[in-house]
């Protein structure tokens, strides 16, 4: 019963069934992750050999007697046990395609895909022939010699083998999600089924002799045309709706992209933007980043974000930041960083982790705002508030509690000197001199303290030429400069908006200190310079004096702090405290770079306004 499903039609031979078993084995081996290329090659060669030996008797008077070699065919009327030409050719083509698929040459693989497509076309033609009941009544090439179930199996094999070829097979064109594939999925069923159905009806009508041949052909043509036009109308309507929707989506996408471009423009203009991978390697930076960090894109891309670290934050700080972002959470905070030239700057930072579809973090977006000036202002504001409070207390004490008793002591000392100096011995007069000297010094200290508290009060900024200020300072200190033979050199200085009286006092303090703390038997040399760095001016006052020990570099700016006795150097110890307050009043910083015995360089910054 299985040999010939349709009575009187060609049968499936034993060799055909055996060949299908070999084909199924080849496809199974191809589907395995580790395919056995050697086994596939041997099976394909065997199948190819069987096909060639089967074809020989059809074209030559030579037989290898393989038709009934295993099983004797007692059912087939014509060529018992021998596969038909169409069947044999299909197996020969499949074995060739199988060998070509194993090749690493792409052209051979493409030929294999075309051969498999040919098998599908042949098998489909045979199936159509059976559907239209042509069978043995009317020969259509060689297709009437293949069994119906043989044709169906060849069609399934063609589809399966093509699906294994990924983008190379014809089935790929049908199941992909592209526009062409969608159109093919819509057209193919109609293109195949409509002619078959109409032809079936046409033959049915002709066989029953209901109408003449010419009328039936006319009706066939009219029906095919009308149905094709209706389907075309339906398809066109669907495509037009899809196209309208596509244009709406394109318009929406365009508007969205425009908004995103505007957002990006605003972000680039206002914020520092950096993107790095999970390892911290920088993949993207914007212009604002390059402007603040002083790195070019070529210099920074591919580097680790660690090159921007200033060393200000602890390892625990960076560890907590990484723990937050590695858990997929946004980290917010202020970070002190260092630019290409070693200058520090502060950034208010947001680090945003990006995840892929599987939930893994593939990059980090860092958005920052330069808050260096705000940090300075905040720090200076807090310092000024604290020092203002201290000075208010000092001023109150100096003006109310110290001045009056000091005047009393000084007055009584004068009376003692005037009335009793001739009655006191040498030691007594010496004591009176010590008292008078101490009260004079105390008076100077109180005056210096009052001057310190008044710095910046009721003053306004003015535009001044710093070169002129240096000239005034040198004239005020002309006597001591001449006495000490001090050499002062000055680079061209800028014009700034500053508090004039305080700025002059700042330079005078630094120059007079450089002269005061000179080395014996060495001509004092002082050099004053300036340099513009972004939005600040960096001043320097360099001398060749006695220098300062490293441990004293910060405490020298404390009020009334002295590193030397009065016998060595005169003064109240408040000059550098004055200087620091004046620099802070302008929103800048002051520090010293010095080495004992080799001189000092005082640096201070004045922000540009």
């Amino acid at each position: 019963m299985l040999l010939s499903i349709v009575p009187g039609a060609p049968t499936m031979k034993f060799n055909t069934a055996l060949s299908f078993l070999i084909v199924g084995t080849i496809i199974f081996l191809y589907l395995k992750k580790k395919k056995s290329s050697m086994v596939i090659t041997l099976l394909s060669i065997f199948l190819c050999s069987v096909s060639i030996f089967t074809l020989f008797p059809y074209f030559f008077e030579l037989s290898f007697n393989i038709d009934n070699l295993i099983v004797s065919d007692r059912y087939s009327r014509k060529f018992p046990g021998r596969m038909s030409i169409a069947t044999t050719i299909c197996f020969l083509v499949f074995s060739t395609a199988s060998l070509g698929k194993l090749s690493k040459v792409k052209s051979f693989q493409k030929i294999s895909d075309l051969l498999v497509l040919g098998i599908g076309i042949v098998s489909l033609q045979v199936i159509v022939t059976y559907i239209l009941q042509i069978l043995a009544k009317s020969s259509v090439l060689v297709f009437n010699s293949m069994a119906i179930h043989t044709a169906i199996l060849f069609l399934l094999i063609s589809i399966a083998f093509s699906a294994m070829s990924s983008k190379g097979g014809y089935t790929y064109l049908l199941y992909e999600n592209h526009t062409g594939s969608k159109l093919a999925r819509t057209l193919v069923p109609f293109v195949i089924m409509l002619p078959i159905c109409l032809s079936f009806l046409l033959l049915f009508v002709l066989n029953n002799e209901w109408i003449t041949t010419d009328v039936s052909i006319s009706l066939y043509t009219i029906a095919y045309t009308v149905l094709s036009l209706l389907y075309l109308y339906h398809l066109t309507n669907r495509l037009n709706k899809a196209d309208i929707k596509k244009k709406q989506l394109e318009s929406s996408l365009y508007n969205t992209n425009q908004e995103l471009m505007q957002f990006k423009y605003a972000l680039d203009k206002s914020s520092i933007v950096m993107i790095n991978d999970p390892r911290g390697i920088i993949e993207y930076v914007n212009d604002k980043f390059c402007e603040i960090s002083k790195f070019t894109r070529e210099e920074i891309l591919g580097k680790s974000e660690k090159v921007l670290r200033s060393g200000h934050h602890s390892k625990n700080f960076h560890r907590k930041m990484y723990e937050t972002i590695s858990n997929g959470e946004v980290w917010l905070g202020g970070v002190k960083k260092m630019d290409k030239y070693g200058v520090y700057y502060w950034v208010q930072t947001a680090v945003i982790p990006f995840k892929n579809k599987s939930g893994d973090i593939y990059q980090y977006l860092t958005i920052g705002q330069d808050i260096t000036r705000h940090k300075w202002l905040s720090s200076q504001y807090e310092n000024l508030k604290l020092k203002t409070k201290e000075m208010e207390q000092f001023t109150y004490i100096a003006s109310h509690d110290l001045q009056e008793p000091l005047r009393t002591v000084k007055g009584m000392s004068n009376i003692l000197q005037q009335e009793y100096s001739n009655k006191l011995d040498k030691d007594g007069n010496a004591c009176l001199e010590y008292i008078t000297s101490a009260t004079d010094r105390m008076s100077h200290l109180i005056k210096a303290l009052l001057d310190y508290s008044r710095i910046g009060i009721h003053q306004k900024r003015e535009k001044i030429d710093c070169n002129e200020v240096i000239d005034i300072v040198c004239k005020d200190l002309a006597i001591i400069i001449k006495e000490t033979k001090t050499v002062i050199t000055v680079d061209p200085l800028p014009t700034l908006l500053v508090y004039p009286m305080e700025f002059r006092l700042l330079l005078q303090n630094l120059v007079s200190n450089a002269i005061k703390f000179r080395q014996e038997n060495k001509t004092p040399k002082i050099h004053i310079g300036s340099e513009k760095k972004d939005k600040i001016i960096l001043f320097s006052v360099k001398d060749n004096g006695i220098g300062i020990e490293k441990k004293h570099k910060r405490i020298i700016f404390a009020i009334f702090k002295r590193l030397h006795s009065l016998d060595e150097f005169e003064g109240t110890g408040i000059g550098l405290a004055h200087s620091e307050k004046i620099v802070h009043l302008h929103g800048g910083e002051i520090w010293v770079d010095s080495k004992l015995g080799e001189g000092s360089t005082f640096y201070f910054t004045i922000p540009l306004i």
Side-chain angles (χ1 to χ4, degrees), residues 49-114:
S49 302
V50 170
S51 302
I52 292 173
F53 292 153
T54 302
L55 286 174
F56 260 94
Y58 283 109
F59 302 103
F60 308 100
E61 294 181 0
L62 179 64
S63 176
F64 293 94
N65 298 317
I66 67 169
D67 298 340
N68 297 283
L69 185 64
I70 301 176
V71 174
S72 179
D73 184 2
R74 300 190 304 273
Y75 300 96
S76 301
R77 298 174 184 175
K78 188 178 180 181
F79 302 129
R82 184 184 301 176
M83 293 188 290
S84 67
I85 294 177
T87 302
T88 307
I89 291 174
C90 285
F91 280 126
L92 180 62
V93 170
F94 177 84
S95 61
T96 306
S98 176
L99 292 171
K101 188 173 176 63
L102 289 174
S103 174
K104 294 182 179 179
V105 181
K106 289 186 177 180
S107 58
F108 287 170
Q109 293 179 357
K110 289 182 179 179
I111 292 173
S112 298
D113 294 327
L114 291 175

Side-chain angles (χ1 to χ4, degrees), residues 570-595:
E570 295 181 354
T572 59
I574 203 171
L576 288 179
H578 274 169
S579 301
E580 184 182 48
K581 183 174 182 180
I582 293 168
V583 172
H584 288 174
L585 179 67
H586 288 86
E589 294 284 346
I590 185 170
W591 67 95
V592 64
D593 185 9
S594 181
K595 194 171 183 181

Side-chain angles (χ1 to χ4, degrees), residues 177-289:
N177 201 31
H178 303 305
T179 303
S181 298
K182 291 178 181 178
L183 183 62
R185 286 197 293 271
T186 306
L187 286 175
V188 167
F190 179 82
V191 170
I192 293 176
M193 296 305 299
L194 181 62
I196 294 175
C197 293
L198 290 177
S199 298
F200 184 87
L201 290 173
L202 174 64
L203 290 174
F204 182 78
V205 170
L206 287 174
N207 288 335
N208 287 280
E209 298 180 351
W210 290 350
I211 55 177
T212 60
T213 303
D214 54 349
V215 174
S216 62
I217 292 175
S218 299
L219 290 175
Y220 176 91
T221 305
I222 292 170
Y224 188 88
T225 305
V226 171
L227 290 174
S228 297
L229 289 174
L230 288 174
Y231 189 75
L232 182 62
Y233 170 79
H234 169 70
L235 189 61
T236 304
N237 195 38
R238 281 183 58 186
L239 290 175
N240 286 342
K241 288 181 179 179
D243 191 54
I244 291 171
K245 188 174 182 181
K246 178 184 175 184
K247 288 182 178 179
Q248 290 175 344
L249 289 173
E250 287 177 350
S251 177
S252 176
L253 182 62
Y254 175 79
N255 293 332
T256 302
N257 282 338
Q258 288 296 107
E259 291 179 3
L260 289 175
M261 289 297 292
Q262 292 174 358
F263 290 148
K264 183 179 182 301
Y265 176 80
L267 191 65
D268 284 339
K269 288 295 182 183
S270 62
S271 304
I272 303 165
V273 180
M274 176 180 72
I275 296 176
N276 55 276
D277 66 11
R279 297 173 301 159
I281 303 301
I282 299 172
E283 298 178 337
Y284 169 83
V285 293
N286 68 344
D287 292 338
K288 196 75 174 177
F289 176 95

Side-chain angles (χ1 to χ4, degrees), residues 463-476 490 493-495 503-504 507:
K463 205 168 195 177
I464 63 165
D465 185 348
C466 296
N467 297 289
E468 294 179 0
V469 176
I470 289 294
D471 290 340
I472 295 172
V473 169
C474 290
K475 288 178 182 178
D476 291 344
V490 184
L493 301 178
T495 297
F503 190 77
R504 182 190 63 78
L507 291 176

Side-chain angles (χ1 to χ4, degrees), residues 391-456:
M391 291 314 302
E392 286 176 353
Q393 296 173 350
F394 277 128
T395 303
Y396 180 81
I397 294 171
S399 60
H400 293 84
D401 297 341
L402 295 179
Q403 292 278 25
E404 188 59 34
L406 186 62
R407 282 195 291 268
T408 301
V409 172
K410 191 172 182 180
M412 294 302 294
S413 298
N414 290 334
I415 292 173
L416 285 173
Q417 281 184 327
Q418 292 173 7
E419 299 294 334
Y420 299 100
S421 59
N422 56 351
K423 297 181 180 179
L424 295 173
D425 58 13
K426 184 178 180 181
D427 291 336
N429 283 309
C431 289
L432 283 175
E433 289 179 5
Y434 283 134
I435 293 172
T436 302
S437 175
T439 53
D440 288 340
R441 173 169 164 69
M442 187 64 179
S443 180
H444 290 316
L445 287 174
I446 292 172
K447 183 179 182 303
L449 186 62
L450 290 172
D451 291 340
Y452 180 85
S453 66
R454 294 191 186 104
I455 290 176

Side-chain angles (χ1 to χ4, degrees), residues 120-135 138 140 143-144 146-148 151-152 155 191-200 203 220:
I121 293 173
V122 170
S123 60
L124 183 63
Q125 183 63 52
V126 173
I127 293 170
V128 171
T129 302
Y130 274 97
I131 292 173
L132 297 181
Q133 298 179 351
I134 294 176
L135 304 177
S138 177
V140 182
F143 304 125
N144 65 331
M146 185 185 291
I148 179 64
I152 293 173
L155 181 62
V191 170
I192 293 176
M193 296 305 299
L194 181 62
I196 294 175
C197 293
L198 290 177
S199 298
F200 184 87
L203 290 174
Y220 176 91

